[in-house]
Amino acid sequence: MPKVSIVVAAYNAAPFIADMILSVKNQIFEDWELVIVDDGSVDDTSAIVRKFAEEDSRIFLLKQKNAGAVIARNVAFSESRGEYIVILDADDRILPEKLLLQVGLLDAQPRYGVVYGDTWFCDDRMNRVELESKKYPLNHVSGDVFEKIVLGNLFAVHSAMVRRICIENVGLHDEEKEVIADWDFWVRVAERYCFFGHKEVVAEYRFHTAMSAKSDGAKLQLKQRVNVVGRIEKLERFFGLPRSVKGDFYFATARFAHKFGFLKEAFHYYVKAIFLFPLNWKAYVGCVFLIERRIKNIL
């Protein structure tokens, strides 16, 4: 049984998937399996994976009719066997030291359910552009991160390694609702387990036009976020959060809606933020901007 399972959902990933597989094969730590689910691709994704699988018994290919990345990831996890899990997208890469470093951390630190590191943000050719820790310097935190992660995701999914028992206890992805899958998952893990963020860079994240964060429309992205907000509101630990944190929680969604021009939704969440924490001055500023814009439109 492998120590680590890397699970991948792939759809029409032929331009990138060999690069991803090679990044796994180049790991210093060798006790791993790579489980790839081809989610109904119509390009050469399966053929490329099959060639690698024929040469390396640690690589497994599963195929299904197109059902979406969330279901494909769940299938990959259900077929995996490792004690530790890495979720990797077909268009990204992990660096050679990642598995060795993070297996060592989880083995030595049983109080942590998740360890995660830094990530290079790259262009479509994988030229390194910026470190995640430089762009979001306040995101890399350790310990009980629940209050922080309910405001938004903290790290690239493949920069992390999570214990299998954590996923078995909270579930991986909800197949019934449209949500920001990574954020929803990490929030549920953070409700019950501690995280450890280390400074070492372990992943590369590719930005390109076909990625879901680019191709999904603004309306769908807002719907996904609002659905996660609704799920978080039902979590037991959410009820016990300080009112200031709840205010920031609703302000973050208001700002997201405002950014994409959904003014009605933005106003709704600004008001909720103010109601929860009247000293949240940023929410008042957001409301003023929306009211001014509404008046201009009327005039």
Side-chain angles (χ1 to χ4, degrees):
M1 184 176 297
K3 184 75 169 180
V4 180
S5 294
I6 301 109
V7 298
V8 178
Y11 176 69
N12 289 347
F16 313 116
I17 200 160
D19 211 18
M20 178 275 292
I21 295 172
L22 288 173
S23 80
V24 176
K25 287 177 65 67
N26 288 336
Q27 291 298 300
I28 298 170
F29 183 86
E30 297 183 338
D31 187 12
W32 52 262
E33 66 174 0
L34 175 60
V35 183
I36 301 172
V37 174
D38 182 351
D39 184 37
S41 297
V42 294
D43 64 3
D44 292 332
T45 295
S46 282
I48 295 169
V49 176
R50 189 177 295 110
K51 183 176 180 181
F52 279 102
E54 289 171 353
E55 299 170 353
D56 192 328
S57 61
R58 297 172 297 177
I59 300 173
F60 301 91
L61 170 65
L62 303 170
K63 298 181 68 174
Q64 66 178 29
K65 293 181 179 180
N66 181 245
V70 162
I71 293 176
R73 272 189 188 175
N74 284 346
V75 171
F77 173 70
S78 70
E79 295 295 326
S80 70
R81 300 167 294 161
E83 178 184 359
Y84 302 149
I85 305 296
V86 174
I87 301 170
L88 178 58
D89 288 337
D91 51 358
D92 293 326
R93 297 192 302 211
I94 53 177
L95 300 185
E97 303 84 3
K98 174 185 163 66
L99 299 188
L100 180 67
L101 172 63
Q102 294 186 332
V103 166
L105 288 171
L106 285 178
D107 281 348
Q109 301 284 349
R111 69 180 291 254
Y112 294 113
V114 179
V115 296
Y116 69 96
D118 208 350
T119 300
W120 277 109
F121 291 153
C122 304
D123 63 19
D124 60 347
R125 297 177 180 269
M126 276 303 193
N127 297 308
R128 293 173 176 177
V129 177
E130 186 176 18
L131 279 172
E132 184 179 57
S133 59
K134 297 296 183 183
K135 187 170 184 178
Y136 305 110
L138 301 180
N139 278 9
H140 281 235
V141 293
S142 295
D144 182 355
V145 305
F146 185 73
E147 288 189 11
K148 182 77 173 177
I149 205 167
V150 295
L151 305 182
N153 213 353
L154 299 179
F155 48 83
V157 66
H158 59 305
S159 75
M161 182 179 288
V162 56
R163 298 184 191 275
R164 181 181 204 88
I165 189 66
C166 297
I167 302 178
E168 290 175 342
N169 285 338
V170 307
L172 187 50
H173 296 314
D174 186 342
E175 299 179 1
E176 301 300 321
K177 266 191 176 269
E178 291 180 316
V179 297
I180 302 172
D182 295 346
W183 182 34
D184 175 69
F185 169 63
W186 293 126
V187 166
R188 288 183 284 109
V189 175
E191 188 185 25
R192 299 178 61 174
Y193 298 96
C194 288
F195 287 43
F196 179 76
H198 59 81
K199 65 181 180 180
E200 289 82 5
V201 183
V202 293
E204 292 174 316
Y205 185 97
R206 189 194 308 261
F207 284 86
H208 58 92
T209 55
M211 63 191 294
S212 60
K214 297 270 190 180
S215 60
D216 287 349
K219 190 173 183 179
L220 174 57
Q221 291 186 50
L222 179 62
K223 180 180 180 181
Q224 291 172 333
R225 184 177 182 93
V226 169
N227 283 341
V228 177
V229 166
R231 289 165 66 85
I232 292 173
E233 288 173 325
K234 297 175 183 177
L235 295 178
E236 183 177 346
R237 283 196 64 189
F238 180 78
F239 293 100
L241 290 178
R243 293 179 70 89
S244 60
V245 175
K246 290 181 180 178
D248 287 341
F249 170 71
Y250 290 118
F251 173 78
T253 298
R255 187 173 60 178
F256 185 90
H258 198 160
K259 174 184 174 182
F260 286 106
F262 296 100
L263 306 187
K264 179 180 178 181
E265 292 82 357
F267 187 78
H268 170 75
Y269 285 107
Y270 281 138
V271 170
K272 292 194 76 167
I274 293 169
F275 175 78
L276 264 300
F277 191 63
L279 297 181
N280 190 331
W281 62 269
K282 294 177 290 185
Y284 290 101
V285 173
C287 283
V288 169
F289 275 117
L290 291 178
I291 292 170
E292 287 181 345
R293 183 167 176 177
R294 178 65 174 170
I295 291 173
K296 289 179 180 178
N297 289 341
I298 292 174
L299 297 178

